[in-house]
Amino acid sequence: MRKLDLHCYPGTPEWVRSQGPFAAALAEYWNKPWDGRPEQDVVDDIRAAGMQALLVAFDIESIHENSPAFQNQEVAAMRDRHPDVFVGAWGAVDPFKGEAALVEIERTAREDGVLGLHFHPIMGRYRVDSPELRPIFELMRDLGLVAMVDVGTTGMGAGLPGGLGSRIDNAHPIAIDHLAADLPELTIIASHPGWPWVEEMTAVALHKGNVFWELSGWAPKYFSPQLKVDIRSRLQDKIMFGTDHPSIPFDRLFREWDELGYSDDVMAKVFHGNAERVLGV
């Protein structure tokens, strides 16, 4: 069965540097080194796992010092160097760069061929339903780009005093609900299970036809009991697979998905069918 990872970070030392002060906290959160690995090692591991993936750029450099962005050109180039493994790329922009962010969205759509843009509201210190961000999402709608938006808490800043100023309610599902209602032509992928607001995210995914949901960055055995039921029933046409690489080992993810006991039909939708239908990958 094809396995399509919608949320795969490059995992290289350059990408780790883009996380600035949060890298050390992530190492402790995931209980493993967080230094980055050579690109070819990353590619070999994904290929050995029998996956294809969409790479994710990262940009919080206007908020956090010493956090050089992992640029859209970089994920596009990595995709193009390994086309059998990387079948697409998500760009990223720092919304606080103002007009420059809008210029970059047009450029990366035209020159890099990104599928859409990824947004990290907690680390970026914004909400996607903020009026200040509306021009970004209107432009994305007009260009046919998809918005992938993190929902729920994050390991970035976890355990640090004040979470280094990060507010987890910036990633509340209601912000996605508002954005989806205001821009119904914009396709939105919510990323991660959304804890502690899993039920709220379920409601948004069921209510908004333009909202879908990928469950990366969370061990499947820790999905809530109701979410485990909903994946095989009322959410089976909404759920997509992602790893949040390099967060959780691939073998553990596949083992725990298998242990949930879903039918082949449901797993085909989760692992590739829904993404193929919605995103055309």
Side-chain angles (χ1 to χ4, degrees):
M1 182 183 297
R2 185 187 191 195
K3 298 179 179 68
L4 187 58
D5 177 5
L6 257 66
H7 201 131
C8 180
Y9 289 107
T12 61
E14 295 82 7
W15 170 75
V16 171
R17 284 196 291 273
S18 75
Q19 298 169 341
F22 298 101
L26 283 167
E28 184 171 348
Y29 184 84
W30 292 112
N31 193 30
K32 65 179 183 179
W34 204 259
D35 303 318
R37 299 188 301 145
E39 178 178 313
Q40 191 60 53
D41 289 358
V42 172
V43 172
D44 290 345
D45 282 355
I46 296 171
R47 186 181 287 119
M51 288 194 307
Q52 293 178 303
L54 277 70
L55 288 163
V56 185
F58 194 75
D59 185 356
I60 56 171
E61 64 182 357
S62 77
I63 300 297
H64 303 284
E65 294 183 357
N66 302 314
S67 303
F70 196 90
Q71 302 282 356
N72 301 328
Q73 297 98 319
E74 294 177 273
V75 291
M78 189 170 173
R79 172 201 63 199
D80 294 344
R81 285 192 293 272
H82 312 281
D84 64 314
V85 172
F86 301 121
V87 296
W90 299 98
V93 295
D94 184 334
F96 295 110
K97 292 180 180 178
E99 183 64 27
L102 298 176
V103 171
E104 173 58 15
I105 291 171
E106 293 203 65
R107 188 211 62 77
T108 195
R110 180 180 65 254
E111 299 180 11
D112 300 329
V114 297
L115 176 69
L117 300 177
H118 172 247
F119 296 87
H120 204 311
I122 295 177
M123 309 322 305
R125 297 184 181 176
Y126 54 77
R127 286 173 59 102
V128 295
D129 60 352
S130 168
E132 290 77 16
L133 270 64
R134 183 54 51 85
I136 287 175
F137 293 109
E138 289 176 343
L139 177 58
M140 291 180 62
R141 174 201 60 194
D142 295 345
L143 293 172
L145 297 176
V146 179
M148 185 168 71
V149 182
D150 280 16
V151 62
T153 193
T154 178
M156 297 185 75
L160 298 178
L164 289 183
S166 305
R167 298 184 176 186
I168 66 171
D169 68 347
N170 280 347
H172 195 287
I174 201 65
I176 293 177
D177 181 74
H178 293 167
L179 179 63
D182 291 346
L183 296 175
E185 304 89 355
L186 178 69
T187 298
I188 302 169
I189 310 294
S191 290
H192 313 315
W195 186 84
W197 306 295
V198 180
E199 295 299 304
E200 289 90 335
M201 187 59 235
T202 299
V204 174
L206 291 172
H207 192 260
K208 297 297 186 290
N210 54 324
V211 173
F212 301 86
W213 194 1
E214 64 90 357
L215 300 179
S216 65
W218 209 264
K221 74 175 182 180
Y222 293 121
F223 292 165
S224 71
Q226 185 61 54
L227 179 58
K228 291 178 181 178
V229 171
D230 289 338
I231 290 170
R232 70 167 179 259
S233 53
R234 58 182 180 168
L235 284 175
Q236 66 177 274
D237 294 318
K238 290 280 191 171
I239 297 297
M240 302 176 185
F241 172 72
T243 66
D244 200 40
H245 170 270
S247 301
I248 303 173
F250 298 146
D251 58 347
R252 177 182 178 182
L253 285 172
F254 294 139
R255 182 180 69 252
E256 292 189 13
W257 270 106
D258 185 63
E259 289 169 350
L260 294 178
Y262 299 133
S263 69
D264 288 346
D265 287 345
V266 169
M267 289 312 305
K269 290 180 179 182
V270 172
F271 274 167
H272 65 92
N274 289 336
E276 291 166 347
R277 172 174 53 86
V278 175
L279 303 176
V281 291

